[in-house]
């Protein structure tokens, strides 16, 4: 690939994978995703790093009640809201994650505070909320989530989770993922999204990945790291590795999910075994695209 193209930036964002009715019209979903993509494009064009960009895109998606993350999170069976998020930086494998955190407006920004790894890479529950408060992050009452949740009817287990992957002008990669979890989850339940290697992964040697779908299945095949290792150790190119990773998700656990990923050359791939994968992307600074399905589709059993 030429030097000029190599300096160009790539970005993908997602608003979740799943099956069943969508929470809004196609046009509305695409418009919301396009807005976030445009903001991320500006940030990367202005020299923003891949990490900064995936964090702010994911925070923006958390602030959009249309998606199951941040203010659009789904309640647990006890009526509370427990959120998960993770982020990873591909140049040095720094990672940060939070699980089952309540009262934090943007869990992804809390995960970002842990990226130094000096105190912890992952925090859960009350300790995570305390840490957010001490670090001056925006805290919100439960009504904030109740209002967001009521804004868009979700009668079914529709797509949830948000995330972003990027390649910046220096060729560095990063990934971020955030979720409100699964509808009807029991208190304390944690899925794949905050788990480094399952929900998120980024390594400049291979790719950056953000996953979505049924966490109990995704985490058992470490979907994000599996894709990266199929590239790094298996020698596959991004699209072939993504197809193989999702095929294995289905073959091993009949898993339902999707992913977005970017490689070191700035190529983007979207793949799913679910019915939907809400996503938007541009490659090498080129035109933006939105889709409600991934490019690679693997049928479940
Ligand atoms: N993966 C998320 C979880 O299991 C939910 C989703 O992506 O829909 O918590």
């Amino acid at each position: 690939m030429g030097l000029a193209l190599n300096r160009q930036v790539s970005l993908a964002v997602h608003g979740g994978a799943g099956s069943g009715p969508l929470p809004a019209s196609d046009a509305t979903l695409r418009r919301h995703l396009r807005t976030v993509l445009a903001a991320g494009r500006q940030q990367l064009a202005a020299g923003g790093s891949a990490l900064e960009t995936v964090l702010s895109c994911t925070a923006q998606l958390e602030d959009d009640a249309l998606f199951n993350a941040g203010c659009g999170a789904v309640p647990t069976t006890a009526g509370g809201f427990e959120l998960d998020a993770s982020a990873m930086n591909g140049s040095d494998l720094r990672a940060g994650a939070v699980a089952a955190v309540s009262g934090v407006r943007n869990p992804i920004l809390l995960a970002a505070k842990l990226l130094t790894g000096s105190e912890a890479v992952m925090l859960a529950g009350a300790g995570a909320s305390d840490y957010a408060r001490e670090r001056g992050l925006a805290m919100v009452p439960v009504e904030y989530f109740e209002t967001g949740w009521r804004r868009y009817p979700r009668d079914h287990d529709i797509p949830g989770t948000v995330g972003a992957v990027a390649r910046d002008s220096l060729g560095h990669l990063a990934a971020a993922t955030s979720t409100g979890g699964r509808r009807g989850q029991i208190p304390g339940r944690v899925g794949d999204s905050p788990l480094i290697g399952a929900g998120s992964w980024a390594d400049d040697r291979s790719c950056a990945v953000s996953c979505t779908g049924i966490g109990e299945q995704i985490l058992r095949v470490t979907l994000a790291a599996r894709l990266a290792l199929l590239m790094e150790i298996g020698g596959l190119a991004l699209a072939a590795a993504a197809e193989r990773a999702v095929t294995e998700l289905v073959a091993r656990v009949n898993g339902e999910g999707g992913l977005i990923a970017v490689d070191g050359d700035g190529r983007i791939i979207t793949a799913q075994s679910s019915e939907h994968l809400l996503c938007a992307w541009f490659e090498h600074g080129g035109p933006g695209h939105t889709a409600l399905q991934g490019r690679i589709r693997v049928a479940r059993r």
Side-chain angles (χ1 to χ4, degrees):
M1 181 157 303
L3 194 59
L5 203 52
N6 255 329
R7 288 213 188 94
Q8 291 187 355
V9 296
S10 297
L11 173 67
V13 299
H14 74 81
S19 302
L22 294 169
S25 69
D26 281 27
T28 302
L29 288 163
R30 287 177 196 266
R31 181 164 43 81
H32 284 234
L33 290 166
R34 213 179 286 122
T35 303
V36 177
L37 190 75
R41 183 195 287 272
Q42 270 190 3
Q43 194 170 359
L44 284 169
S49 71
L51 181 63
E52 288 161 354
T53 306
V54 296
L55 292 173
S56 58
C57 286
T58 303
Q60 211 178 320
L61 288 160
E62 287 178 336
D63 286 342
D64 186 340
L66 188 51
F67 303 109
N68 172 15
C71 76
V74 294
T76 67
T77 50
F81 295 86
E82 299 180 358
L83 291 78
D84 306 325
S86 61
M88 189 164 184
N89 190 43
S91 62
D92 53 12
L93 305 189
R94 276 185 297 142
V98 291
V101 63
S102 299
V104 178
R105 175 173 157 171
N106 292 110
I108 195 63
L109 300 183
L110 178 54
K113 293 273 179 212
L114 297 166
L115 280 163
T116 60
S118 55
E119 287 167 300
V121 166
M122 187 168 191
L123 285 178
S129 303
D130 292 346
Y131 193 85
R133 208 171 289 110
E134 284 158 21
R135 296 294 176 292
L137 287 181
M139 304 300 290
V140 285
V142 69
E143 293 77 32
Y144 173 78
F145 299 105
E146 286 169 350
T147 309
W149 158 246
R150 268 191 238 109
R151 195 138 165 237
Y152 293 95
R154 290 192 183 94
D155 296 334
H156 299 270
D157 204 6
I158 51 87
T161 303
V162 302
V165 295
R167 176 200 189 273
D168 63 28
S169 57
L170 298 176
H172 297 310
L173 307 180
T177 306
S178 179
T179 191
R182 304 290 305 173
R183 192 183 163 168
Q185 68 180 7
I186 54 173
R189 178 265 179 190
V190 174
D192 61 304
S193 308
L195 301 181
I196 299 301
S200 297
W201 183 259
D203 183 349
D204 283 4
R205 291 186 184 183
S206 50
C207 61
V209 192
S210 172
C211 297
T212 167
I214 299 179
E216 284 70 13
Q217 299 163 346
I218 292 172
L219 65 83
R220 285 187 288 145
V221 299
T222 52
L223 186 60
R226 179 176 289 259
L227 197 173
L229 292 175
L230 282 165
M231 293 179 73
E232 188 185 339
I233 298 173
L236 298 186
L238 179 70
E243 177 152 20
R244 174 90 175 266
V246 177
T247 300
E248 287 177 6
L249 172 70
V250 172
R252 301 299 302 273
V253 295
N254 199 24
E256 177 177 353
L259 59 86
I260 58 171
V262 62
D263 70 11
D265 284 332
R267 280 181 290 252
I268 301 274
I269 196 72
T270 57
Q272 67 181 56
S273 65
S274 49
E275 200 180 317
H276 312 289
L277 173 62
L278 315 181
C279 51
W281 71 95
F282 66 81
E283 275 181 332
H284 308 129
H289 305 276
T290 58
L292 304 188
Q293 289 196 316
R295 207 179 98 202
I296 294 170
R297 288 171 220 149
V298 179
R300 294 177 66 229
R301 297 197 290 269

